[in-house]
Amino acid sequence: MERLKDSVQPDYQATSPRTPLRINEPSNDSASPSTNANARSPNFETGAPQNAGINVLTAAVFVAGEMAGSGVLALPKAVVDSGWIGIFIVIICCINAGYGGSRLGECWAILEERYPEYRGNTRNPYATIAERAVGKWGSYLVSVCMQITLFGASIVYLLLAAQLVQDLLIVVFPSVGFCWWFLIFAVGLIPAMWLGSPKDFWLVGVGALLSTTVAVVFIATQMLIDGLNLEKLPRHRPHSFKEFFLAFGTILFAFGGASTFPTIQNDMVHREKFSKSVMIAFIAITGLYSPLVIGGYYIYGDSIQPNVVMSLSHTTLVSLANIAMAIHLILAFLIIINPVCQDLEEMLQVPPEFCLKRCIVRTCMIMLMIIVGATVPRFSKILSLVGGSTITLTTFVLPNYFYLKLSDQRAPNWPVREVPLHMRVYMYELIGIGLVGGCCSTYSALIDMVGPDSFTKPCYWPN
């Protein structure tokens, strides 16, 4: 796929390397043309160093901010449906997803190390990693998975935001239903969709993480209050094979932000430090998820709703949590839909700067999201299907596979990268578990969607 650059000419970038990245073996001076450790990509027009970009902490905020929203609301129900073992599955998935994210960061480090043309900005970094690792078919596979994953996740975020606001304002606007709120949010976000990439709206990432943190504090506090007022222990019934893997797909979805990782990394000043950003982000995410997952299982049990907020007692704390989560979902939507927009614009050869073509393409994307969301207005169905299929591939399977393939490639002027045996075994285990678990979750989600009792009336269906 043709690579378009955001701010400098491709032929000029090839002679303007960024800081070289860490590798396992000492670097050879002939590893790549021009490897000055202090070199930065200069501005094409002025010749001045190009220092624009986000730092390690800001990248961590973006990673945590775009991932935490749906997990905060949906994970408690998923853990209940998967049984007590679901608590441990959440922890394991968090560790493995974080490791996969760090492998993606190392993959891009390898590309910058070997190919000078990638030391500038790239619109579709994940697809570029795939192409260099396995060829064109990998690039096409990643592009399709990213489009499906982030497109589906974006719809889920809008549906959740609409549900929260409807519950919050039902007394004030009793005649405005869930579907109308979904339409209002989708149309209202069109102008914000026209922004370029994460570095153009870094405050969105900060706001997304802060609003999630505030919501978690309110939700956890209300959970504790409800728990203290329990008259009897919650019921936990045995769950079927299908219910378990539907829940597993939801858990995978909660850690499915890897599709956006290379795009965020590409906006960093020091891209070689992206693994540190991933580690910080996943520690924060674990801290956000843990109290809600444990509280949901032991306080509400089988009575818990797909959106945990709907299970809480209706108090001022819950209203504040709804407001904070709605803000988060809207802000996180802008982060996760951005790579989809950039990848689509790359295919359609839309100029990288702000222009009418960008506005048209992104507006059309919102229109398509409205159609899909209005047709399948139950977010849990989309969540399980996407989590079990494309998210499993892009978060747990492909990052490890691409890293192994790139590390095994050899050329006379490339530094040698050796993968220790224990790491290689661990990554192949992740690939195998991801494929098996993802297939089972996808099958369960498809059966659930086409089952006779699973029909959900579309928003445009006549009453």
Side-chain angles (χ1 to χ4, degrees):
M1 182 183 296
E2 181 184 357
R3 294 177 294 273
L4 300 177
K5 310 301 181 189
D6 282 273
S7 59
V8 291
Q9 300 294 330
D11 57 341
Y12 189 77
Q13 285 179 336
T15 60
S16 307
R18 298 173 60 92
T19 304
L21 304 173
R22 295 175 282 107
I23 53 175
N24 294 337
E25 298 292 335
S27 144
N28 189 329
D29 290 339
S30 62
S32 63
S34 307
T35 54
N36 179 359
N38 296 317
R40 299 291 302 160
S41 298
N43 183 280
F44 181 71
E45 296 179 357
T46 67
Q50 178 72 29
N51 293 318
I54 59 179
N55 58 29
V56 171
L57 184 58
T58 305
V61 168
F62 267 106
V63 171
E66 62 94 6
M67 286 182 61
S70 61
V72 164
L73 300 176
L75 266 184
K77 168 67 172 175
V79 169
V80 169
D81 286 349
S82 57
W84 60 267
I85 197 174
I87 297 175
F88 297 98
I89 293 175
V90 168
I91 297 173
I92 293 171
C93 283
C94 184
I95 295 172
N96 292 340
Y99 185 77
S102 70
R103 292 311 88 196
L104 274 180
E106 288 300 312
C107 284
W108 191 259
I110 294 174
L111 262 61
E112 287 200 351
E113 175 184 286
R114 297 174 180 176
Y115 309 102
E117 64 267 28
Y118 297 134
R119 293 169 186 164
N121 290 328
T122 303
R123 267 183 168 180
N124 53 350
Y126 201 162
T128 303
I129 290 171
E131 182 175 349
R132 288 297 184 181
V134 298
K136 280 288 185 182
W137 70 266
S139 176
Y140 296 143
L141 175 63
V142 165
S143 292
V144 170
C145 286
M146 281 184 60
Q147 295 288 341
I148 295 173
T149 297
L150 299 180
F151 185 80
S154 300
I155 296 173
V156 168
Y157 278 31
L158 289 179
L159 290 171
L160 280 169
Q163 186 182 71
L164 292 174
V165 172
Q166 182 200 21
D167 184 66
L168 183 66
L169 300 178
I170 188 67
V171 176
V172 182
F173 302 106
S175 60
V176 182
F178 164 78
C179 292
W180 278 110
W181 283 117
F182 172 71
L183 181 62
I184 290 169
F185 280 132
V187 174
L189 286 170
I190 289 177
M193 284 273 292
W194 299 339
L195 295 171
S197 68
K199 67 177 182 293
D200 299 319
F201 48 91
W202 62 272
L203 281 174
V204 169
V206 176
L209 184 58
L210 286 177
S211 57
T212 307
T213 304
V214 170
V216 167
V217 171
F218 290 144
I219 294 172
T221 303
Q222 187 59 53
M223 277 185 169
L224 181 60
I225 295 172
D226 290 348
L228 294 174
N229 294 326
L230 275 180
E231 297 181 357
K232 59 180 180 179
L233 292 176
R235 178 171 173 266
H236 292 91
R237 63 176 177 83
H239 291 274
S240 65
F241 173 92
K242 186 183 78 171
E243 288 175 314
F244 175 84
F245 279 104
L246 283 173
F248 186 58
T250 300
I251 294 173
L252 294 175
F253 186 96
F255 297 102
S259 296
T260 64
F261 288 1
T263 302
I264 295 171
Q265 181 186 17
N266 214 246
D267 281 339
M268 292 181 68
V269 177
H270 299 289
R271 301 176 188 176
E272 71 277 10
K273 297 181 180 180
F274 181 68
S275 294
K276 186 181 295 185
S277 299
V278 172
M279 181 182 68
I280 295 171
F282 274 85
I283 290 174
I285 290 168
T286 303
L288 291 172
Y289 285 169
S290 297
L292 304 191
V293 163
I294 296 172
Y297 184 84
Y298 287 106
I299 295 174
Y300 303 102
D302 287 333
S303 66
I304 199 165
Q305 300 297 313
N307 181 348
V308 68
V309 174
M310 302 303 164
S311 301
L312 307 177
S313 301
H314 290 279
T315 65
T316 302
L317 283 176
V318 174
S319 297
L320 293 174
N322 279 340
I323 294 172
M325 279 308 305
I327 293 172
H328 164 82
L329 292 166
I330 292 171
L331 296 178
F333 166 84
L334 296 175
I335 302 174
I336 64 174
I337 196 61
N338 189 265
V340 183
C341 296
Q342 293 197 53
D343 200 31
L344 183 60
E345 288 162 5
E346 180 80 2
M347 290 187 288
L348 298 177
Q349 298 185 346
V350 177
E353 66 275 1
F354 183 83
C355 61
L356 180 60
K357 286 185 178 179
R358 173 196 284 180
C359 297
I360 293 174
V361 168
R362 299 192 180 193
T363 301
C364 289
M365 183 171 293
I366 281 283
M367 295 298 105
L368 181 59
M369 293 172 66
I370 291 174
I371 294 172
V372 175
T375 303
V376 189
R378 279 184 58 182
F379 72 87
S380 58
K381 294 181 180 294
I382 301 175
L383 205 144
S384 296
L385 179 61
V386 175
S389 55
T390 56
I391 282 181
T392 302
L393 285 175
T394 56
T395 302
F396 298 93
V397 176
L398 297 181
N400 296 290
Y401 182 63
F402 291 159
Y403 177 74
L404 290 171
K405 296 294 289 185
L406 287 171
S407 297
D408 290 342
Q409 292 175 357
R410 298 288 184 266
N413 62 334
W414 290 350
V416 176
R417 281 182 172 262
E418 297 291 347
V419 181
L421 179 61
H422 67 280
M423 287 180 61
R424 191 176 291 272
V425 171
Y426 174 56
M427 283 186 274
Y428 275 120
E429 286 179 350
L430 291 182
I431 292 170
I433 294 171
L435 288 174
V436 174
C439 288
C440 293
S441 297
T442 303
Y443 173 78
S444 298
L446 289 172
I447 293 298
D448 184 61
M449 291 186 75
V450 301
D453 300 326
S454 63
F455 177 76
T456 302
K457 186 175 71 172
C459 289
Y460 48 78
W461 200 269
N463 293 326

